[in-house]
Amino acid sequence: MSVMTWTYLIVGASFALYIGIAIWSRVGSTKEYYVAGGGVHPVANGMATAADWMSAASFISMAGLISFMGRDGAVYLMGWTGGYVLLALLLAPYLRKFGKYTVPDFIGDRYYSDTARLVAVVCAVFVSFTYVAGQMRGVGIVFSRFLEVDITTGVVVGMAIVFFYAVLGGMKGITYTQVAQYCVLIFAYLVPAIFISLLMTGHIIPQMGFGGTMADGTYLLDKLDGLNTELGFDAYTSGIKSNIDVFCITAALMVGTAGLPHVIVRFFTVPRVSDARISAGWALLFIALLYTTAPAVAAFARANMIETINGTDGQGVLYAEAPDWIKNWEKTGLIKWEDKNGDGRMFYAKDDRNEMAKIDNDIMVLANPEIAKLPAWVIALVAAGGLAAALSTAAGLLLVISSAISHDLLKKVVMPNITEKQELLYARLAAAGAIFVAGYLGINPPGFVAQVVAFAFGLAASSFFPAIILGIFDKRANMQGAIAGMIVGITFTAGYIIYFKFVNPAANTADNWLFGVSPEGIGTVGMVLNIIVTYAVSHMTKPPPAHIQELVDHIRVPRGAGGATHH
């Protein structure tokens, strides 16, 4: 069977499974809609959290980034997995014990202020839309390549699927769909990685193949270093980022992960406080399966790509004899070739010899099975995995947007007297509206969707994280401090990123950065500023009311950790 037939079969079967789960788990109450009724098993919740977190960026883009950046790409691995350690130890159990459904709900109640709640709603909606635009674009790219439809049609199909199970099933439908999506995406990621590891190094475990020797006896990483330097690139295992920048980017990604609303809300779906910590541990294990495989996938893909384009003799391959994958990806516009010297041969290098005018990072994982000449069903499986990763995260983000609008804005501030039935209706309408906005952004992406991921993390790191962490561990943190801290953190971080990314991109060099920290890592500095401002303002103004201070004590005391507590 052809790749196209296999793709229709595997993607069709996975979509039928997601829709079946959504029909089975449709909800009738706001508690089921927002937190799946609070009855999800920790292992299932760990899988759902992993799928929620591992977006199209993790599945499609991360190995591509590592493939092209080498050592410097490792910041994404360290930051995105490290954030879960922070979540499990510092946030998940305490937030679960507080018993609120959303991050703005926690901030509004802990800081006894609708202004603080509104700032948090704005942050939650902005961060979520930033992310979801990238997910819908990822869906469009996968469809355009593997089903040979245009990106717009691909995005519309993706919108229809998400609309069905997010609006109908709420968090309950999303949770069980995400369990299925995790199984699809991890299988789709590991199968080609194992195949290629066996072909290239003889190791069945890709992580061992990554550090192993090739058929000619040279170590894979030594071979990559040699190939890279011959072609004018930096050695694969060396990095050009300074240590301070690596530290700040890693910290911003860690803290951004721990402050992201669509991840935090997952810890309200388990029955008990202790289950929140257990499910964070399971999530870390499930995420590590993909994240420890990514460097191996990146190295295999880069070695194969260089050899495929430049030939085993390093002289270039005739375009007329180029493998099908190059011509297939050319149709999507993500690969471009220019015959500079008119010899009809392709060549990939960093300097003037380069004739590959464009090789998009995002194709590396999707094209990897084709480059390695794997069977058609494996290529189709990777397409299904990419779609599962993008759709699972899109659904989680849409729920955050819908709950921020219906629960935190309408129920808590604008229309406090609405019934549960009305609130559920508004939540569904908000999710439907958010899907159309997300679809529009996927079809007409702002030119900076890829760059704005850093913006989203910086925003979450510099706004939510300090407000949550001080809200749990500092009784003296008050309304004035939290509002001032969030505004200062967001304003500084947003201003820095907007200046270097959009206002004056020519100045975006290490010489001009504050303390040598790039826009990707500035969220760490914004977070520190937020903490300092919150602490200073809180101690210069009157302390929180006695009942709030008692509440903070109650959240932290282990007593009653076996059962859920509500206020």
Side-chain angles (χ1 to χ4, degrees), residues 193 277 293 326 448 460:
R277 206 186 290 271
T293 310
I326 289 182
F448 47 83

Side-chain angles (χ1 to χ4, degrees), residues 152-488:
T152 303
T153 309
V155 171
V156 171
V157 174
M159 281 167 63
I161 299 289
V162 176
F163 181 89
F164 198 89
Y165 68 77
V167 174
L168 189 69
M171 180 56 101
K172 192 176 174 189
I174 286 170
T175 297
Y176 292 107
T177 309
Q178 283 173 339
V179 171
Q181 284 165 332
Y182 175 78
C183 296
V184 171
L185 78 86
I186 201 68
F187 189 65
Y189 205 83
L190 293 179
V191 166
I194 291 165
F195 261 108
I196 297 168
S197 184
L198 275 169
L199 285 171
M200 290 180 71
T201 67
H203 285 287
I204 195 166
I205 300 171
Q207 291 86 336
M208 291 179 71
F210 181 52
T213 54
M214 316 255 305
D216 60 4
T218 57
Y219 281 100
L220 171 65
L221 290 173
D222 284 343
K223 180 168 183 178
L224 264 178
D225 278 349
L227 283 172
N228 270 19
T229 48
E230 280 168 30
L231 298 173
F233 297 98
D234 295 302
Y236 190 77
T237 54
S238 74
I240 55 172
K241 289 186 183 295
S242 67
N243 287 341
I244 181 77
D245 198 27
V246 167
F247 173 81
C248 283
I249 294 173
T250 305
L253 294 172
M254 277 178 70
V255 174
T257 300
L260 279 173
H262 73 294
V263 174
I264 289 172
V265 75
R266 292 236 55 95
F267 297 108
F268 295 104
T269 63
V270 288
R272 291 183 298 277
V273 177
S274 55
D275 294 336
R277 206 186 290 271
I278 294 165
S279 66
W282 278 109
L284 191 56
L285 174 70
F286 292 134
I287 290 166
L289 278 176
L290 188 145
Y291 272 47
T292 57
T293 310
V297 170
F300 299 152
R302 183 151 184 95
N304 275 335
M305 182 196 75
I306 292 172
E307 206 155 86
T308 305
I309 295 172
N310 292 5
T312 47
D313 58 359
Q315 300 302 306
V317 169
L318 284 167
Y319 179 72
E321 296 168 10
D324 289 343
W325 71 267
I326 289 182
K327 290 165 183 176
N328 289 336
W329 282 99
E330 265 189 316
K331 291 175 197 165
T332 67
L334 297 175
I335 281 186
K336 287 187 181 133
W337 170 67
E338 288 175 7
D339 192 4
K340 288 183 179 175
N341 56 10
D343 66 354
R345 287 178 179 272
M346 301 182 298
F347 199 76
Y348 173 65
K350 189 179 184 182
D351 47 36
D352 294 340
R353 298 171 292 165
N354 186 35
E355 296 184 327
M356 300 307 293
K358 181 181 184 183
I359 302 179
D360 197 290
N361 292 355
D362 289 347
I363 75 161
M364 294 307 282
V365 168
L366 296 173
N368 202 12
E370 294 176 274
I371 300 173
K373 302 185 178 74
L374 297 186
W377 68 268
V378 180
I379 298 168
L381 184 64
V382 170
L387 289 169
L391 293 173
S392 61
T393 305
L397 292 164
L398 290 164
L399 196 79
V400 166
I401 296 166
S402 106
S403 60
I405 292 168
S406 63
H407 185 71
D408 299 310
L409 191 60
L410 296 180
K411 173 76 175 169
K412 293 287 186 173
V413 181
V414 183
M415 303 155 72
N417 298 321
I418 56 172
T419 65
E420 183 175 340
K421 201 170 179 183
Q422 287 172 313
E423 188 185 340
L424 188 58
L425 173 67
Y426 286 126
R428 285 183 161 142
L429 289 173
I435 287 169
F436 284 105
V437 175
Y440 175 81
L441 291 171
I443 293 163
N444 305 294
F448 47 83
V449 161
Q451 295 171 313
V452 142
V453 169
F455 194 46
F457 274 93
L459 205 69
S462 60
S463 58
F464 282 140
F465 185 76
I468 295 169
I469 206 84
L470 290 173
I472 293 168
F473 291 100
D474 183 9
K475 281 198 292 190
R476 192 67 177 74
N478 65 9
M479 167 177 72
Q480 294 89 337
I483 293 168
M486 283 195 288
I487 291 170
V488 167

